[in-house]
Each structure stands twice: as C-alpha cells, then as structure tokens.
Amino acid sequence: MPARTARERARAELTREIKDEARRQLALTGADGLSLRAVARELGMVSSALYRYFPSRDELLTALILDAYSALADAAEAADDPAAPPRARMRAVCAAIRGWARAHQHEYALLYGSPVPGYQAPRDTVAPAIRVPLVLLAVVRAAWTDGAAPEPPRADAISPQLADQLQAVAEQYAPGLPEPVLARALLAWAQVFGLVSFELFGQFAGSVEPADGFMAFAVEQVCDLVGLPPGPEG
Amino acid sequence: MPARTARERARAELTREIKDEARRQLALTGADGLSLRAVARELGMVSSALYRYFPSRDELLTALILDAYSALADAAEAADDPAAPPRARMRAVCAAIRGWARAHQHEYALLYGSPVPGYQAPRDTVAPAIRVPLVLLAVVRAAWTDGAAPEPPRADAISPQLADQLQAVAEQYAPGLPEPVLARALLAWAQVFGLVSFELFGQFAGSVEPADGFMAFAVEQVCDLVGLPPGPEG
DNA sequence: TGTACATCAGTGAACGCGCGTTCACTGATGTAC
DNA sequence: TGTACATCAGTGAACGCGCGTTCACTGATGTAC
C-alpha cells in the first residue's frame, strides 16, 4: 500500500476546504456569484493558488454539482427502507429529498433550477443525477412486483414516440416493467421535484406556504398515481 | 384629451425598445448576464442614457418579469375556450403554457427558475403571477360545477394546516369550491409547471426527450387528477 | 404668432469595483542513489 | 542515514475586462404669456 505522503493529505484536505467554502458562498450568492477570488480570500490564500486545485471556475462548479447530486442521492437512498411497505418508502424518500433540498437550497438550485448560462454540464453528471429517480423507480417496481398496479392509462395516452422512449428506458433501468407503470414512475419523479422547486423558489408564497401540509397531501396523490396500496393511516 | 407630445411618443417607444433589447440579451446570457451597458451599446446609446428610462438594473429586471408574467398569462387565457369541454380546455391551456415557455426559455426561467440572488421581487409581481393558476382553476371549477368530481382524498390527506390555507385561498379565489377539489387544482398547477421546468431545464435528457409524447401523457394524468371527464379520444 | 423660459433626453468622462487567468518566483516536501 | 535533485504548493504582481452608477454638460422639445 502506497503511503499517503503529507503532500497528498494536505492536498486532499485543501481540496475539500475549497469546496466547502465554495458551497458556503453558493448559499449566500447563488451560482453566478461564486467567485474563485472570494473563495481564496476567505481561505486566506491568494487567488492564483486555487489553480493548483481546480483548473478553472467551471471545473470547481462541476465538482460542486457532482457532490450535490451525490449528497442528494445519498439522502434519498438512506431514507429508503426496502423492507417497508411501498407507500411508507415513498413518503420517506420524498421527505428526504425535500429535506435535503430545503437544507441546501442553492445547491438544489444548481441541480434543478435554471441552467447556469454559458455553463455546459459535462457527461459525468449523468450517472449521479439518475440515482434519485432510480430510488423512486425501485419503490414503484417493488409495489408492482407485489401485485399492486395502477389503473392503466387510456389506450391513446401513450403515443408511439413515448412508447419507444419508455422501451429504451425500461431496457436499461427497469427490465420487465410495463410501459404504463414506468411512465407513471417518471411522472412521479417530475412531480416530486416540481413540487420541491415550487416550494423552494417561492411559488407557494401567499397560498399553501408553509408547505408541509400541502406536500404531505401531494405525496399521497403521487403514491396513488403510481398505484401504491393505501398506507397505515389510509 | 391631452395630446401626446413627440417627447411622450419617443419615450414610450424607446422604453419598449430597451425592454425588447433586454429580452434579446436575456435569451443569450440569462438573467445575470443582463447588463445595462450591453443594452445601451446595442441600441447605440451611451449607458447613462438608460437611467432616464429605468432608475436601475433591478427596475429593468422587474419590468421584464412583469411583462413575462403578463405575456404568459395572455397566452394561457387566449388558449382557453370556456365553451369547450373541460379536458379540451385543460389540454389547450397546458399546451399554451408549454409553448410559451419553450418560445421564451429565459423569460420563463426568470419566473419559475432559481430566484436571482440578491434580487427581491416586488409586490407588484403577485397580481400578474396568479393569472395563470386562475385559468387552471377556472377549468377545474367548470368541470366541478358540471358535476364532475375527483375522488375525495383519504380523510387524513388534508392536514389542519392545509385545510386552513385552502380555506383562505378559496375565500379569495374560488368561493364554494370544496377543499379537496381546490387542493387538487393547486397540485395540478404545480405539476404542470414542474413538468415544463423539467423539460426546459434539461432533466429529461436521455429519457423522454423530445418530451411531446410524455407531456401529452402527463397532461392526461393531470386531468384525471382533478377529475375532468374523459375527452373525445378517451 | 412669436418670444423667454423650463423641462427633459442624451453625451462623455469618470469613479470604484471585482472578476478570471497567467506567469515568473521562492521555498518546502518528496525521491533516488 | 545523508545528500542532490525533482516535484509541487503557494506568492505577488500584473493583464485586460466589464460592470453599475454619478455628474456636469449641451441641445432639442415643450409651455406660458
């Protein structure tokens, strides 16, 4: 085993500190306010020193995005107890997603808000990004395997285009899952994040804010959509 | 009637031209890239001249936001034919919202994307912002008046907190509408915009993109959610 | 209808700021013999 | 175990940039008599 030199340890630690400080600034100023110089200043370094760690501002942003996707996915996965009944699982996963989003608003915005103009997310973001929908999919699939099935959509609701797309997705991530179930799972995914975004971005101001009650209601509807059997308090 | 002087006409026209140019730049660079200097440059003026029209960058942004909310609401209202059956109305309104959003991506992001850091939307944005949900609400209400009712949610799905909020909203915007129906209408609103945001912000890349088919599917599910009777192709 | 004054639009220069990135450098840490 | 050299982290100065906003000004448009 190669001994970790002091240099290596120092480098790993400073890399982490840079990202931590960048996250802190993100929380204050948002993505476009993130400045290498400010990060360096806060760490007591000279701005050029950061270039030993990240070759450019965009690379730092990418690192933050990757970390955020992973952290969110970790939270979702940790909240999911495969032994629990599907509806309880869905509730727990949704609560974890919402909780993480509220605790890391600007990181969430980095992932699910308006794209940062001029910044092109690299391919590596795809893998961590799909972990969350895969958790939701696992819950839906478990319920389906157990015999719970959502009402099939009207025959015409799934267009040929959508059918093709669903087939491709199913092949890779959910072999054997019927298209209508998969379609609803995808819809549930979009709905959950749509709700969280609405809450975080302030669209509920003046109506159902604070949104705890509404969110709970919404999650039950999402569960119904994907055909999870009624839960304990149903 | 006070004659409009040449000055007044010129002022109105230049105000419009400034906003048009600002919108053009928004489309290229996003909200944070919007710069008074660049707008002035493009219009062949000196940057300080803009201050005769907008007292600050933020005021210009606010004007753009107000215009965008209004334009989107106009599109939604224009697409709604109150004489049509509810499901057809919902389809048309959703299509109009999605169409406007796709045609004005950055303006849409200004309204429904991550909040611009440091920018606080003034109160005046509230009135134009609620016009769109009111259109959706009108469709749901019409269906409900006609006797279509969504399945009531399980008794416990509406928490006391949510019930209070719904009552307040109903009082102001939908007197007489039962809480469960209103709750579902609000949910539909959040879902529609969640879907549009997901599409525009690129979350469907690699799965159901292009999203036409999925959107059509999703809209049908939303119609089901709020209890609209099956449409012609059902 | 014509003149004197007030209002307003647009100019050009300037202030002060912060940014990302490059580069030649010093000095400390690691490696090979 | 000790020395000679290579690697790397961090420094400090600089480049070139664009930004929002202010201010004293000129000249055109409008108004009151």
Side-chain angles (χ1 to χ4, degrees), chain B residues 7 11 14 37 45-46 48-49 52-53:
Chain B
R7 265 228 263 264
R11 173 167 253 280
L14 237 183
R37 292 188 101 109
M45 312 171 69
V46 98
S48 50
R52 297 267 172 219
Y53 297 87

Side-chain angles (χ1 to χ4, degrees), chain B residues 25-72:
Chain B
Q25 299 205 5
L26 210 63
L28 299 175
T29 50
D32 316 80
L34 177 63
S35 127
L36 286 189
R37 292 188 101 109
V39 171
R41 211 179 299 131
E42 214 59 34
L43 292 176
M45 312 171 69
V46 98
S47 66
S48 50
L50 288 200
Y51 286 81
R52 297 267 172 219
Y53 297 87
F54 296 94
S56 73
R57 200 195 91 114
D58 269 14
E59 297 276 345
L60 175 54
L61 246 188
T62 300
L64 294 181
I65 289 176
L66 287 173
D67 282 5
Y69 271 126
S70 295
L72 173 57

